[in-house]
Amino acid sequence: MKITTWNVNSLTARLQHVLDWTAANPVDVLCLQELKLTDDKFPLDVLRGAGYEHCAVFGQKTYNGVAIMSRHPLGDIAKNIAGFEDEHSRVIAATLDTAQGPIRVVNGYFVNGQAPGTEKFEYKMSWLRGLRDYLRSELERHPSTVLLGDFNIAPEDRDSFDPEGLRETIHHTTEERDHFRKLIELGLVDSFRLFEQPEKSYSWWDYRMLGYQKNRGLRIDHILVSEPLKAQVKACSIDRTPRKWKQPSDHAPVTVEFQ
């Protein structure tokens, strides 16, 4: 079974990219972020035609929005962080019914945070605290859990093209990295780091200043798996191919494969 996370930066603009990529990579579950559309605008019929019969959607006009598209039945769908009041559509969770048993998938578009010292950064910190409390209870209910999405955090220096020049800037601050570490301490594992990976492996590149062409990127899209799933992880990789297409998302899809 394969599960993918991809920030498409507008599903309306990138729908054909999603269709082309899933045709070549028919993953079982595709989790999208930054839909930038309301639920009624979600192209449900088109995606069902592509094989994703089961879709859980939490959209928002112009901004944010997350979805789980699946070839497996979805149940127990929940939106946003329980106990944390938020006007933005950032989290959707659902339970996959698989032959190996139920797997809880939590798909998040984490707060960007803008810059340390701003109100948006404080919102990010409080949001991350709320997420951690929520995940703690989710893991108690669902031992087999996958947390994935656009985290907007580069957890280590090797996840940034310029770790020294960008130190303590957004995505690189000690506070953000501490939150990432505390998520891991709940009993999660960074599936990408379970394997030897090429140096300078990134999942996001700025549109400006030839960011992709010069590989000036960050690894900020992650797939964390709970300990009971760790032994089943067969591979985890970033597919840079769609980033080369015309008018691409600034993010690349990341896929975990389970035995």
Side-chain angles (χ1 to χ4, degrees):
M1 184 177 70
K2 295 182 178 181
I3 301 178
T4 296
T5 179
W6 191 3
N7 179 326
V8 290
N9 191 15
S10 172
L11 182 56
T12 301
R14 245 65 70 178
L15 178 58
Q16 191 59 51
H17 286 196
V18 170
L19 296 173
D20 291 345
W21 189 83
T22 52
N25 304 272
V27 297
D28 299 270
V29 181
L30 177 60
C31 296
L32 303 178
Q33 303 91 41
E34 276 205 276
L35 303 178
K36 296 184 177 179
L37 48 73
T38 51
D39 290 8
D40 60 304
K41 301 294 184 182
F42 189 82
L44 189 59
D45 291 342
V46 174
L47 294 170
R48 282 177 172 166
Y52 295 96
E53 290 288 334
H54 310 278
C55 296
V57 184
F58 186 27
Q60 182 177 337
K61 185 178 181 180
T62 309
Y63 302 101
N64 309 315
V66 285
I68 300 173
M69 299 160 36
S70 176
R71 300 179 190 275
H72 302 268
L74 298 174
D76 192 16
I77 296 167
K79 299 178 180 181
N80 265 350
I81 299 171
F84 182 86
E85 187 174 343
D86 193 359
E87 62 182 351
H88 302 294
S89 302
R90 292 192 174 276
V91 177
I92 191 163
T95 300
L96 299 176
D97 182 12
T98 76
Q100 292 73 32
I103 297 177
R104 188 67 168 170
V105 175
V106 182
N107 174 24
Y109 174 46
F110 289 39
V111 179
N112 180 289
Q114 190 177 48
T118 65
E119 289 185 5
K120 291 183 178 179
F121 188 80
E122 289 307 311
Y123 165 46
K124 184 174 191 174
M125 295 298 100
S126 62
W127 189 91
L128 286 166
R129 287 191 292 270
L131 177 71
R132 188 167 69 252
D133 292 341
Y134 169 68
L135 256 295
R136 186 180 293 109
S137 62
E138 285 291 281
L139 286 164
E140 291 174 357
R141 294 173 55 224
H142 308 282
S144 295
T145 291
V146 178
L147 170 66
L148 78 176
D150 175 2
F151 282 46
N152 273 311
I153 301 172
E156 302 179 62
D157 283 357
R158 59 180 167 168
D159 298 316
S160 172
F161 76 95
D162 185 9
E164 288 303 326
L166 294 171
R167 193 167 302 282
E168 298 305 330
T169 65
I170 197 65
H171 310 312
H172 301 75
T173 65
T174 299
E175 294 93 333
E176 291 166 297
R177 289 177 168 180
D178 281 348
H179 276 289
F180 188 92
R181 177 179 52 78
K182 288 175 180 176
L183 286 173
I184 294 291
E185 290 173 353
L186 291 176
L188 298 170
V189 179
D190 183 349
S191 59
F192 189 76
R193 292 301 178 198
L194 290 175
F195 308 93
E196 288 292 326
Q197 302 287 0
E199 291 186 6
K200 299 181 179 180
S201 291
Y202 308 128
S203 63
W204 172 90
W205 301 262
D206 200 323
Y207 288 126
R208 300 167 296 178
M209 298 181 290
L210 299 175
Y212 178 75
Q213 291 82 350
K214 295 180 178 180
N215 201 26
R216 294 166 58 89
L218 305 175
R219 188 177 75 96
I220 56 176
D221 302 89
H222 307 293
I223 302 177
L224 308 186
V225 302
S226 61
E227 283 289 345
L229 291 174
K230 178 181 176 181
Q232 300 177 38
V233 177
K234 182 179 177 181
C236 186
S237 60
I238 300 169
D239 186 358
R240 297 165 57 122
T241 303
R243 190 61 175 82
K244 304 172 187 176
W245 294 345
K246 185 178 180 181
Q247 296 181 328
S249 168
D250 44 357
H251 294 255
V254 183
T255 300
V256 64
E257 182 176 358
F258 295 96
Q259 294 180 354

